[in-house]
Amino acid sequence: MTTLLVEDIGLLVHGDAALTPLRDTTLLIEDGRIAGIGVDHPHPDRVVSAGGLTVMPGLVDGHVHPTFGEWTPAQNSVGWIGNYLQGGTTSMVSAGELHIPGLDFGALTPELVLSIAITSKHTTGRSRPSGVKVNAGTMLLVPGMTEEHFDRAQREGIEHLKFIFYDWNRLGDGEAQRYVSWAHERGMTVKMHTGGVSRSGSSRVAGRDVVVAVKPDIVGHISGGPIPAPDDDITAIIADLPSASVEVCSSMNYRATKLVAEQLTARGELGRLTLGTDTPGGTGVIPRGMLRNICFLASICGVEPVAAVAAATGQTATAHGLDTGILAEGRPADLLILGPITGSTAGDALECFALGDLPGIASVLVDGVPLVKTRSEQTPPPSRAVSWRGEVAPPVPAGARGTGCC
């Protein structure tokens, strides 16, 4: 059994808004999972001193558009997943593999969308690009699907489905609602593109009438991706679908995001909030997109920093059926060590978020393995350093990051 002791933690944030952060504590990891918090070990194999910095769960990006491993044709960019790891993202969930060159959004058939999902699930989703847990292979929902398509998807391990290029002119025929029922019978999660048309221009506007009729599990980018539904529709969706998770992405309309946060806060339902980047796409490639989401919520929208972190970690993970995102005994040791950079007046990462300051990341661990050991390539260094003792597994080599492009 391999043990790693994280000591000298200035502040530990659990990723669960109901749990009070702990000060001056430790974290014990055994074989990639958390074995205890506030405990010691007489002879750990490895020790990392957090240097008084903050430890929190790795960020869970609930809305990405992978295509071929580390290459995204949407921005003709290579290495984006590795850069997101450097920005603190340890898990991500596909919202559909949309950007395959030549894909005709006006001619999507059930067989085509199922084949794309299966291929992505067993390539990008299996390879862990740069060590990130990429939950790829989300099946797009198009007219004409049968229960057999859902059975085949389930046999292939597909867990996430998405409405985006669906013809909402046929909403009254009950097909979309059957899809949701079939998905739930198989333990699948359904997300819906909401608001205005997508970057492709091919999706249909989905406001309150559409969303409430279909009842997805996750209301995708409710505050814009790229633009939201009208304010009254946003308010009605939140009120009329109390069991649905509500997603905010980096492609947001900032004013609408503030409205969403205010509505959820007034209803005492911030636990429904999940976060993503909705990238790569027209918004670009944003390695620090999830950190910026937290900063915006905590510094502008009045969300307590602990709740903003929970939205970016445990809540997003839970909404998508993932077992990560929360620092608790038995959970995967996916975590960040981070804190204020030189020049910030903050004392810890939560104070950074409250001020709107991006914290600096020192270390990123996935399943207890330090993929970023002492310094992120995508943030300034925190004002205090971490130090390692004992044998440390090497980070993923730069040449091993990409798996999708030749």
Side-chain angles (χ1 to χ4, degrees), residues 16-155:
D16 180 342
L19 299 177
T20 302
L22 302 176
R23 293 200 176 273
D24 302 323
T25 190
T26 60
L27 180 72
L28 180 64
I29 299 168
E30 293 180 347
D31 289 342
R33 289 189 173 267
I34 297 170
I37 296 174
V39 299
D40 204 348
H41 191 284
H43 303 292
D45 298 298
R46 293 169 285 172
V47 176
V48 56
S49 170
L53 295 172
T54 300
V55 169
M56 60 177 269
L59 304 173
V60 182
D61 188 338
H63 197 127
V64 298
H65 292 295
T67 305
F68 301 115
E70 291 268 28
W71 175 55
T72 167
Q75 294 291 332
N76 195 23
S77 174
V78 177
W80 71 276
I81 296 175
N83 288 331
Y84 280 46
L85 174 78
Q86 300 282 334
T89 296
T90 56
S91 294
M92 51 180 62
V93 182
S94 169
E97 288 74 24
L98 309 179
H99 301 142
I100 299 171
L103 186 64
D104 184 351
F105 300 125
L108 297 177
T109 65
E111 286 297 317
L112 178 57
V113 295
L114 176 57
S115 298
I116 291 171
I118 291 172
T119 300
S120 186
K121 180 73 176 180
H122 293 298
T123 53
T124 301
R126 189 163 57 86
S127 64
R128 279 210 188 181
S130 295
V132 176
K133 297 175 178 178
V134 182
N135 295 270
T138 291
M139 184 170 71
L140 303 182
L141 296 171
V142 298
M145 303 183 88
T146 67
E147 216 169 342
E148 174 59 21
H149 291 107
F150 287 73
D151 286 336
R152 287 164 58 191
Q154 183 183 36
R155 289 195 294 270

Side-chain angles (χ1 to χ4, degrees), residues 39-399:
V39 299
D40 204 348
H41 191 284
H43 303 292
D45 298 298
R46 293 169 285 172
V47 176
V48 56
S49 170
L53 295 172
T54 300
V55 169
M56 60 177 269
L59 304 173
V60 182
D61 188 338
H63 197 127
V64 298
H65 292 295
T67 305
F68 301 115
E70 291 268 28
W71 175 55
T72 167
Q75 294 291 332
N76 195 23
S77 174
V78 177
W80 71 276
I81 296 175
N83 288 331
Y84 280 46
L85 174 78
Q86 300 282 334
T89 296
T90 56
S91 294
M92 51 180 62
V93 182
S94 169
E97 288 74 24
L98 309 179
H99 301 142
I100 299 171
L103 186 64
D104 184 351
F105 300 125
L108 297 177
T109 65
E111 286 297 317
L112 178 57
V113 295
L114 176 57
S115 298
I116 291 171
I118 291 172
T119 300
S120 186
K121 180 73 176 180
H122 293 298
T123 53
T124 301
R126 189 163 57 86
S127 64
R128 279 210 188 181
S130 295
V132 176
K133 297 175 178 178
V134 182
N135 295 270
T138 291
M139 184 170 71
L140 303 182
L141 296 171
V142 298
M145 303 183 88
T146 67
E147 216 169 342
E148 174 59 21
H149 291 107
F150 287 73
D151 286 336
R152 287 164 58 191
Q154 183 183 36
R155 289 195 294 270
E156 297 292 344
I158 291 169
E159 300 169 319
H160 303 110
L161 314 175
K162 169 104 177 276
F163 283 108
I164 179 169
F165 302 124
Y166 192 84
D167 182 5
W168 295 120
N169 293 321
R170 57 182 297 163
L171 182 62
D173 66 11
E175 182 182 65
Q177 290 86 342
R178 286 195 298 275
Y179 287 179
V180 175
S181 295
W182 290 344
H184 289 171
E185 289 168 4
R186 292 159 180 80
M188 297 170 171
T189 299
V190 179
K191 180 176 291 189
M192 176 186 285
H193 173 106
T194 65
V197 299
S198 67
R199 170 178 173 266
S200 71
S202 301
S203 56
R204 301 292 187 267
V205 176
R208 183 265 175 201
D209 291 347
V210 172
V211 178
V212 172
V214 176
K215 296 181 173 61
D217 300 298
I218 303 172
V219 181
H221 48 57
I222 190 171
S223 63
I227 67 169
D231 288 0
D232 287 347
D233 283 30
I234 291 174
T235 301
I237 289 169
I238 290 172
D240 295 346
L241 286 182
S243 64
S245 295
V246 176
E247 179 186 80
V248 165
C249 290
S250 302
S251 55
M252 69 180 87
N253 172 309
Y254 298 105
R255 182 198 55 77
T257 294
K258 192 169 184 292
L259 171 66
V260 170
E262 290 169 348
Q263 290 292 313
L264 291 174
T265 299
R267 296 174 60 87
E269 296 175 353
L270 274 172
R272 296 170 58 188
L273 183 62
T274 72
L275 302 182
T277 60
D278 193 9
T279 61
T283 308
V285 172
I286 317 176
R288 299 186 292 197
M290 288 296 290
L291 287 175
R292 289 197 170 278
N293 285 342
I294 299 172
C295 283
F296 183 72
L297 289 171
S299 66
I300 300 297
C301 299
V303 176
E304 289 294 325
V306 170
V309 169
T313 56
Q315 289 170 198
T316 298
T318 299
H320 293 88
L322 310 182
D323 66 346
T324 188
I326 295 177
L327 300 185
E329 189 170 342
R331 295 290 190 119
D334 303 340
L335 57 93
L336 312 179
I337 304 176
L338 72 173
I341 69 172
T342 300
S344 174
T345 60
D348 56 46
L350 291 184
E351 291 183 9
C352 285
F353 296 137
L355 290 170
D357 287 350
L358 282 172
I361 295 174
S363 298
V364 180
L365 284 71
V366 176
D367 290 333
V369 177
L371 302 183
V372 177
K373 185 180 173 186
T374 59
R375 167 73 193 278
S376 165
E377 298 173 0
Q378 292 290 337
T379 70
S383 56
R384 285 167 284 181
V386 302
S387 60
W388 292 82
R389 303 194 305 273
E391 182 182 355
V392 179
V396 176

